[in-house]
Amino acid sequence: MAETVTPSGTTGSLLASLDPLLRTWLPRQRWFAGKGRPVTAFTPVTVTELLPSGGRVGLYHLLLRVHQPSAPGGEPHPGDCYQLLVGVRRALPPRLAPALIGHVAKGPLAGCTVYDALYDPRPAELLLEALRRRTRIGVLRFERDARQEIRPGLVARLMTAEQSNSSVVYGDTFILKVLRRVVPGVNPDLELPLALAREGCPRVPAPTGWLRAEPGGEPYVLAVLQPYVSGASDGWELALRELAKGEDFTAEAHALGRATAEVHTALARALPTVTLGRGQLEPLVDGMTERLAAAARAVPALAPYEPGLRSAYTALAALAAEGRTWTAQRVHGDLHLGQCLRAPAGGWSLIDFEGEPARPLAERRMPQPAVRDVAGMLRSFDYAARSVRPPDPGWAHACRAAYCSGYAEASGRDPRTDPVLLRAYETDKAVYEVVYEARHRPDWLPVPMSAIRRLATSDPT
Ligand SMILES: Nc1ncnc2c1ncn2[C@@H]1O[C@H](COP(=O)(O)OP(=O)(O)O)[C@@H](O)[C@H]1O
Ligand SMILES: O=P(O)(O)O[C@H]1O[C@H](CO)[C@@H](O[C@H]2O[C@H](CO)[C@@H](O)[C@H](O)[C@H]2O)[C@H](O)[C@H]1O
């Protein structure tokens, strides 16, 4: 049942108008997770009118459940829930052309244009103002850290980067990440940065504000505001730049290893850790094995390597059977060069603690060996070196070594001393990447596939 706040009574007509338009618009959005399957219906979860459509700009906040047939062989699915900010105008100014959702043909809104309002500075600024004032409207709760000030009047611009979500930058001061596919529960993208801020860890921007909602008693985190690291470059851009110039990146990789270790140490202090041994490790290994089998069904090119890859997991299970134990803690969960920002004055920050968006929330919040993040970064150096022509595996090798040394210096634990664990996590990550690329960027598939060939034949024992 939708919870609606509809002072002007136009919501029903808005939803009817949006239905046919969203069926073509939604699947084209980079952040739409259900690509490749038709959209069959929408159910509103909440609709909140932020500005009535009778004015120059109407503005609606929507949580919409999107119904699609299950993937072949997949479980029946209730449909993913997406967050939209829909603007309504009589005519769309040319600068907002990329935001167009469509033109309304019938009903009270006939002749109006509906569009993605995050492209429009005024509605985007309204969100910041609501956080500043800690507004409550309908089910929406705009909240902020009382100790951090938000200056009024900051100008909004939507980031154009390829993203899983959408981010708006205000002045050069804040960045608001508006989550697109949302799931109920504690969101690690807010939970972990808040925990790190409590620990005083300076490597992660501390959340300034957040938008929550509790439709039907289910809690959702919908957006997170944090300080904007002005003039920063992300690790991926920097790595590609250095690769293009044929320059060394090992000092940066070393510093990144240190930064990762500092974040891990703070997370282990802030949140519970557990010991994994016989009995606890098996579910992790089973998860890896199942993901590999599902990936091989989804991407047939992976199938010939399945037995070799599986040996990475059985080797780990064998160590547990011999009595080895590992410490597990909360981790970043999707660490790669693009999640690392370097400020102009130097110094790395880590962002985007959401974990791998395709995994269930409960799994993303489980304590895991910290080496999982290390493996993600090692894969990322490999990605960078293989995305240039000609590929430069020597560059990746040197960066991987420097990163592990930096990590070891700051944490006292060198990830290379546990090659079986590292190989299992690198394999799991490469398998994830194969599925990710097949789904989102098929041209990139050869990049993780080259790692798959290496990992299927390497034996660290
Ligand atoms: N605090 C920040 N300061 C500066 N830029 C940021 C900050 N947080 C995110 N960004 C930029 O926004 C992009 C997307 O952020 P991210 O949290 O990774 O979103 P998504 O989950 O949608 O990929 C990043 O790649 C980075 O360029
Ligand atoms: O940043 P996101 O949370 O959206 O992460 C997803 O997209 C990433 C790509 O944008 C993807 O990362 C893979 O490609 C990167 C280069 O573009 C590379 O540095 C990473 O190592 C590689 O995994 C990520 O896996 C996915 O979850």
Side-chain angles (χ1 to χ4, degrees):
M1 177 59 127
E3 296 189 22
T4 55
V5 178
T6 58
S8 67
T10 48
T11 309
S13 126
L14 176 77
L15 287 173
S17 312
L18 276 174
D19 188 296
L21 304 176
L22 288 180
R23 280 168 200 254
T24 41
W25 180 80
L26 254 187
R28 281 200 234 118
Q29 303 314 302
R30 158 74 160 85
W31 40 262
F32 184 68
K35 292 199 178 72
R37 289 175 290 140
V39 172
T40 50
F42 299 101
T43 319
V45 177
T46 68
V47 183
T48 308
E49 186 179 84
L50 299 175
L51 293 172
S53 58
R56 200 173 61 83
V57 181
L59 180 61
Y60 296 84
H61 178 278
L62 273 75
L63 291 183
L64 270 190
R65 198 162 293 290
V66 178
H67 302 281
Q68 298 183 271
S70 312
E75 305 272 306
H77 193 266
D80 287 328
C81 184
Y82 287 90
Q83 174 171 218
L84 303 180
L85 270 142
V86 174
V88 180
R89 283 177 179 253
R90 282 273 140 205
L92 206 58
R95 67 187 163 81
L96 290 178
L100 178 71
I101 295 176
H103 304 287
V104 181
K106 290 190 291 200
L109 294 175
C112 286
T113 301
V114 287
Y115 67 103
D116 182 347
L118 285 178
Y119 282 80
D120 197 349
R122 217 78 51 76
E125 287 157 16
L126 190 138
L127 299 180
L128 186 68
E129 188 56 17
L131 290 167
R132 196 174 79 77
R133 291 172 182 264
R134 298 193 225 165
T135 306
R136 288 178 160 217
I137 172 161
V139 295
L140 302 180
R141 305 275 178 276
F142 293 86
E143 297 169 348
R144 73 174 161 83
D145 177 348
R147 291 160 305 177
Q148 295 193 53
E149 283 303 310
I150 300 177
R151 190 159 49 83
L154 293 170
V155 176
R157 68 182 159 86
L158 182 68
M159 282 197 54
T160 49
E162 290 273 294
Q163 277 185 258
S164 303
N165 299 286
S166 298
S167 296
V168 180
V169 177
Y170 296 94
D172 256 357
T173 311
F174 294 112
I175 179 163
L176 178 69
K177 174 154 146 182
V178 178
L179 301 170
R180 290 303 198 161
R181 191 173 72 90
V182 293
V183 288
V186 178
N187 188 317
D189 214 3
L190 178 59
E191 180 197 19
L192 296 187
L194 279 178
L196 289 164
R198 281 195 301 273
E199 279 300 317
C201 174
R203 294 293 186 180
V204 174
T208 311
W210 45 89
L211 170 59
R212 294 190 302 120
E214 211 159 305
E218 289 200 297
Y220 288 86
V221 170
L222 300 175
V224 179
L225 183 76
Q226 55 172 240
Y228 183 69
V229 184
S230 184
S233 306
D234 73 44
W236 178 253
E237 291 163 9
L238 284 176
L240 290 192
R241 216 180 294 159
E242 301 306 298
L243 265 163
K245 289 191 283 186
E247 282 188 14
D248 180 60
F249 195 66
T250 52
E252 295 291 8
H254 187 271
L256 258 174
R258 289 196 70 97
T260 310
E262 285 170 30
V263 170
H264 282 163
T265 304
L267 282 175
R269 267 200 315 261
L271 295 162
T273 62
V274 294
T275 301
L276 301 177
R278 209 177 327 180
Q280 300 84 37
L281 194 83
E282 281 79 355
L284 275 182
V285 171
D286 289 349
M288 290 176 175
T289 311
E290 280 158 26
R291 283 193 288 279
L292 171 59
R297 284 195 298 274
V299 186
L302 200 54
Y305 303 100
E306 200 181 340
L309 297 172
R310 212 181 304 122
S311 72
Y313 307 149
T314 46
L316 182 59
L319 284 188
E322 285 165 18
R324 271 285 302 275
T325 58
W326 293 266
T327 300
Q329 63 161 94
R330 295 298 299 280
V331 296
H332 179 285
D334 190 16
L335 196 59
H336 56 79
L337 281 162
Q339 315 282 37
C340 308
L341 298 180
R342 204 196 57 188
W348 287 99
S349 300
L350 308 191
I351 55 165
D352 194 3
F353 284 73
E354 199 185 5
E356 286 170 5
R359 294 213 188 174
L361 185 62
E363 202 181 306
R364 290 191 255 145
R365 294 188 61 230
M366 257 168 28
Q368 314 216 25
V371 97
R372 177 170 170 176
D373 286 344
V374 172
M377 283 301 297
L378 298 186
R379 291 287 315 116
S380 212
F381 292 121
D382 188 54
Y383 248 78
R386 290 197 184 271
S387 66
V388 292
R389 290 288 157 265
D392 192 345
W395 183 94
H397 191 76
C399 288
R400 287 162 62 99
Y403 178 80
C404 288
S405 300
Y407 189 94
E409 257 177 46
S411 69
R413 294 182 312 274
D414 190 326
R416 291 166 293 191
T417 57
D418 199 346
V420 173
L421 187 68
L422 192 54
R423 178 181 169 220
Y425 274 99
E426 250 203 276
T427 303
D428 192 40
K429 186 74 194 177
V431 168
Y432 165 84
E433 289 167 344
V434 166
V435 177
Y436 179 88
E437 302 302 0
R439 203 172 279 164
H440 295 277
R441 307 185 295 192
D443 292 355
W444 286 62
L445 197 50
V447 175
M449 281 306 294
S450 70
I452 290 290
R453 281 189 285 277
R454 169 175 64 79
L455 288 158
T457 49
S458 69
D459 179 0
T461 52

